[in-house]
Amino acid sequence: MALTLGPAVALAQDAKVKVQVEVVLASNKGTAVEPAELNKMKEAFQKQNFSFTSFKRMSLDTVEVAAPKPTEVKLPNGTNASLQLLGMKDGIATLRVIIPNQSSVEVELGRQGAVYQKAGKHVGGDLILVLVPPSK
């Protein structure tokens, strides 16, 4: 059994995944949705009864996340979120998302599209990390 675990652990150490990281400020101040592509996010939130009225993109980057060292993402509220690759299986990446003053969460990036993760308060709203695997 130890023989089957060894190669999987070694593989995880070399694994890398590119992740598109969008930081969005969601609030109830006004009704602006900037840019218009965020209307999909607004609709998804409304279906889940998260009724923010305004969505504004604060940043959009593609980062490379590797194991075991976390990748830092600067947030506009002065803190950093950390993304750490925990594993890859069947084209799905498992990431640990660490945000200051919140518990870390594990998310799976792959077939289901974007993953939304709350990332703290900022100027009267909530910062939302939008994690998307880049298109192949």
Side-chain angles (χ1 to χ4, degrees):
M1 189 151 180
L3 292 174
T4 58
L5 289 176
V9 171
L11 190 94
Q13 297 300 317
D14 299 332
K16 291 181 185 153
V17 65
K18 286 190 185 291
V19 179
Q20 180 181 297
V21 180
E22 184 173 23
V23 180
V24 175
L25 177 63
S27 74
N28 288 311
K29 292 182 176 182
T31 57
V33 178
E34 301 169 18
E37 299 103 73
L38 293 179
N39 273 315
K40 284 190 261 181
M41 182 179 177
K42 182 177 182 179
E43 290 166 12
F45 276 49
Q46 286 173 336
K47 286 178 187 164
Q48 296 178 16
N49 293 320
F50 295 115
S51 56
F52 293 109
T53 57
S54 172
F55 291 80
K56 181 176 183 184
R57 178 184 290 156
M58 306 299 283
S59 66
L60 178 64
D61 292 301
T62 299
V63 298
E64 190 169 79
V65 181
K69 188 177 184 296
T71 299
E72 299 283 315
V73 176
K74 287 192 181 302
L75 300 175
N77 63 2
T79 62
N80 287 343
S82 297
L83 306 176
Q84 183 178 11
L85 181 62
L86 299 179
M88 289 285 294
K89 185 175 181 186
D90 300 327
I92 296 175
T94 302
L95 301 180
R96 177 173 290 135
V97 181
I98 304 162
I99 296 164
N101 303 317
Q102 296 187 40
S103 56
S104 65
V105 294
E106 291 181 12
V107 299
E108 288 187 345
L109 276 188
R111 301 181 186 106
Q112 83 281 18
V115 171
Y116 302 117
Q117 180 60 45
K118 191 173 172 190
K121 298 283 186 191
H122 184 61
V123 296
D126 286 310
L127 292 173
I128 310 291
L129 277 183
V130 184
L131 306 174
V132 180
S135 51
K136 305 259 184 289

